[in-house]
Amino acid sequence: MTPLRYGIIGCGMMGQEHIRNIALVDDAQVVAAVEPDPAMRAAATRLVPGLAFADEIAGLLAMEEVNAVLIASPNHLHVDQLEEVARTRPLPIIVEKPLYTDPADAARLDALAARYPHLIWVAMEYRYMPPIAALLDKAGKATGGIRMLTIREHRFPFLEKVGDWNRFNAQTGGTLVEKCCHFFDLMRLLLQSDPVRVMASGNQAVNHLEERYDGKVPDIWDNAFVIVDFASGARAMLELCMFAEGSRYQEEITAVGPMGKIEALVPGPGRFWPAHLGAPPVPKLIVSPRAPKGPRELDIPVDPDLLEAGDHNGATFYQHRHFAHAVRDGGRPDVSLSDGAWAVRIGLAAQESALTGQAVQLDDHEGEQA
């Protein structure tokens, strides 16, 4: 088994979750990092005593023991950093979502994909949450082919990040890119088709309105509805509310077809569940056939050690285990640069639609997903 020795770019909240989960994967560890913030350096060192730090990406890549790269930096830095790794020392890469934030970067990523000699994997953790993975596995048989898909996320507001970078669209790509690219990725994966039209309505209604950063008011949205039409004739809807942290379940995904309905119910991070309410909710899968009628509800428990290692219901561990297998076996990424780019493209179209009040056509890539 080839040991994986990660160099990590960015040791903030998500970077630290990656570090904890990589430590649970067989023969994998983080050995070096680039992190300019002293507090985040200290936090990473507590997780990996003796962790080596480089001031720049070139210094990280010069460390011979590093044989894989994880990019977990702020969104707007991803493309520049991918290109720097490509120029300096190409290695297998896992890069956090969203893949990019500026529409002008799409062509740069196309060029990178055409020449990069190793695997690049976009970190779409939601695919690997056990209840969502169960839905992905069973949806075709349960529905007879999905015709309608609804994803509802009712959650807490954006958390505080280093330098408050996630408070402004210019650095995140906008909420429908930053937060919701996960869900647009799931739509394409479940429907096995590409989108042709996006319609959306969203705004900033409650959160961050009283905050000021160098005199500027945050402009990230906290709620939206998005409808996406697909080339296959199926349609999907996203309902996002980021001032609904009192909900029992954070994500509720419903897929319906001619034979029935299937639902996945996913709790939010356990650290936010109030102790006085007792044990946190257990993830569930509900299958509701049309005939014979009779919903079946299944608990999908998650290993407590995985829940302790992060905020994504064990998904970050399963993602890294899949990534490690792909690197060691010469496999393909579960989430390619094309997949990551499509998720951003849908998010950008949703942002545009909500701003203009007009549907955005995406039919220049019409056709079934390869």
Side-chain angles (χ1 to χ4, degrees), residues 92-225:
I93 298 174
I94 183 165
V95 55
E96 260 299 334
K97 62 78 192 169
L99 186 55
Y100 67 98
T101 59
D102 184 341
D105 288 339
R108 295 167 63 187
L109 287 164
D110 287 343
L112 179 68
R115 68 176 189 271
Y116 199 76
H118 295 288
L119 174 149
I120 301 179
W121 180 302
V122 183
M124 292 292 191
E125 286 87 8
Y126 281 51
R127 291 183 177 213
Y128 305 96
M129 290 181 176
I132 295 178
L135 183 142
L136 286 163
D137 180 56
K138 300 180 184 301
K141 183 176 180 180
T143 64
I146 302 169
R147 307 311 296 162
M148 298 181 68
L149 175 65
T150 302
I151 300 176
R152 182 170 85 170
E153 181 172 67
H154 282 191
R155 58 161 282 163
F156 50 91
F158 280 113
L159 298 173
E160 294 181 4
K161 298 291 181 75
V162 175
D164 309 303
W165 68 266
N166 65 340
R167 293 307 197 249
F168 297 96
N169 290 337
Q171 298 174 130
T172 66
T175 298
L176 300 183
V177 173
E178 205 293 325
K179 182 71 210 71
C180 300
C181 62
H182 278 302
F183 304 123
F184 301 135
D185 174 63
L186 287 175
M187 288 177 184
R188 286 184 69 245
L189 184 61
L190 278 160
L191 297 177
Q192 290 294 292
S193 182
D194 286 334
V196 296
R197 184 170 64 164
V198 179
M199 297 162 281
S201 175
N203 67 10
Q204 183 183 9
V206 174
N207 297 340
H208 317 300
L209 294 172
E210 305 304 318
E211 298 176 8
R212 298 293 183 274
Y213 301 94
D214 295 327
K216 297 178 182 179
V217 182
D219 60 1
I220 49 171
W221 297 349
D222 56 21
N223 72 99
F225 292 102

Side-chain angles (χ1 to χ4, degrees), residues 70 107 219 231 307 313 323 325 338:
L70 166 65
D219 60 1
L307 293 176
N313 280 271
F323 175 77
H325 287 163
S338 177

Side-chain angles (χ1 to χ4, degrees), residues 74-75 179 227 240 321:
N75 302 351
K179 182 71 210 71
I227 296 173
L240 174 72
R321 191 166 69 176

Side-chain angles (χ1 to χ4, degrees), residues 317-337:
F317 165 76
Y318 292 115
Q319 174 178 251
H320 275 291
R321 191 166 69 176
H322 281 247
F323 175 77
H325 287 163
V327 172
R328 289 165 175 157
D329 299 339
R332 295 168 57 86
D334 285 358
V335 191
S336 67
L337 282 175

Side-chain angles (χ1 to χ4, degrees), residues 19 33 87 187:
I19 291 171
R87 287 192 307 269
M187 288 177 184

Side-chain angles (χ1 to χ4, degrees), residues 252-268:
E252 301 180 18
I253 301 177
T254 303
V256 189
M259 293 180 61
K261 178 173 75 170
I262 186 169
E263 302 165 85
L265 308 181
V266 186

